């Protein structure tokens, strides 16, 4: 029985690791850019997400240096090239303090995929606070997702 539980845990971990496959930002989710101990991670599956037409939600929040933020921006720029739909905006068009980007990525395994990125400058600590969210499910468009999440 113990062996069975270990095998099931390994299988579940492998499935979760595949969710962001094909996205450049996946390197962040795998801990290759920012060490895992510096990130706050949230993963949600199941009934909690049904009302949003989602089956999987994963977010990372971290504080990063300007150099690290630049690297994350480069990964995001590579994913933007493959997105189906994108919406981005600044809190103030003349300010670099807060930037938000939401993208619909190509479907995978019959699931629609969405990637959201937000960076905020924290001048008190001379660093960026970055949040990256990956979601997948049956919700059909970025516009629908935004409506459901309001």
């Amino acid at each position: 029985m113990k062996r069975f539980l270990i095998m099931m845990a390994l299988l579940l971990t492998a499935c979760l690791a595949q969710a962001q496959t094909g996205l450049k930002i996946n390197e962040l989710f795998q801990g290759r850019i920012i060490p895992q101990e510096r990130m706050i991670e949230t993963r949600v599956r199941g009934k909690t997400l049904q009302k949003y037409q989602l089956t999987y939600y994963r977010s990372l929040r971290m504080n990063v240096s300007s150099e690290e933020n630049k690297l994350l921006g480069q990964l995001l720029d590579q994913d933007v090239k493959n997105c189906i739909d994108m919406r981005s905006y600044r809190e103030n068009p003349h300010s670099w303090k807060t930037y938000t980007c939401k993208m619909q990525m190509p479907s995978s395994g019959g699931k629609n995929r969405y990637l959201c990125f937000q960076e905020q400058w924290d001048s008190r600590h001379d660093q960026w606070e970055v949040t990256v969210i990956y979601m997948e499910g049956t919700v059909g468009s970025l516009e629908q997702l935004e409506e459901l999440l309001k």
Side-chain angles (χ1 to χ4, degrees), residues 5 18 31 34 43 80 82 92 105 124 128 138:
L5 292 174
Q18 296 300 316
I34 308 296
R43 293 184 196 199
V80 165
N82 297 317
N92 173 347
M105 304 307 294
R124 292 179 314 198
W128 292 91
T138 59

Side-chain angles (χ1 to χ4, degrees), residues 108-127:
S108 177
K111 306 247 172 144
N112 294 326
R113 305 184 311 160
Y114 301 90
L115 183 62
C116 302
F117 177 90
Q118 183 177 58
E119 62 184 16
Q120 292 183 300
W121 177 247
D122 179 358
S123 59
R124 292 179 314 198
H125 299 101
D126 195 32
Q127 63 187 4

Side-chain angles (χ1 to χ4, degrees), residues 2-128:
K2 186 176 179 181
R3 191 177 308 167
F4 174 75
L5 292 174
I6 291 171
M7 291 299 287
M8 290 303 291
L10 290 172
L11 181 61
L12 179 61
T13 302
C15 289
L16 293 176
Q18 296 300 316
Q20 297 85 221
T21 299
L23 301 179
K24 297 296 181 183
I25 203 75
N26 190 34
E27 296 208 19
L28 175 67
F29 283 96
Q30 292 178 339
R32 293 184 188 151
I33 307 298
I34 308 296
Q36 293 283 350
E37 59 271 5
R38 287 185 40 212
M39 297 188 285
I40 298 171
E41 180 177 13
T42 303
R43 293 184 196 199
V44 182
R45 281 191 176 273
K47 291 186 179 192
T48 307
L49 298 172
Q50 282 181 340
K51 66 182 174 183
Y52 304 109
Q53 299 175 31
L54 296 172
T55 55
Y56 185 56
Y57 171 97
R58 187 175 183 189
S59 71
L60 297 174
R61 192 177 76 214
M62 70 223 76
N63 293 321
V64 299
S65 68
S66 292
E67 295 80 27
E68 291 168 327
N69 193 48
K70 184 177 178 181
L71 180 56
L72 292 176
Q74 291 170 350
L75 294 174
L76 185 68
D77 288 344
Q78 291 176 33
D79 282 333
V80 165
K81 294 176 185 175
N82 297 317
C83 75
I84 295 169
D85 188 11
M86 182 184 98
R87 296 178 185 177
S88 64
Y89 52 91
R90 297 207 175 277
E91 178 184 277
N92 173 347
H94 304 290
S95 168
W96 289 92
K97 289 184 180 180
T98 301
Y99 172 72
T100 303
C101 179
K102 300 173 186 175
M103 296 181 278
Q104 181 176 358
M105 304 307 294
S107 299
S108 177
K111 306 247 172 144
N112 294 326
R113 305 184 311 160
Y114 301 90
L115 183 62
C116 302
F117 177 90
Q118 183 177 58
E119 62 184 16
Q120 292 183 300
W121 177 247
D122 179 358
S123 59
R124 292 179 314 198
H125 299 101
D126 195 32
Q127 63 187 4
W128 292 91

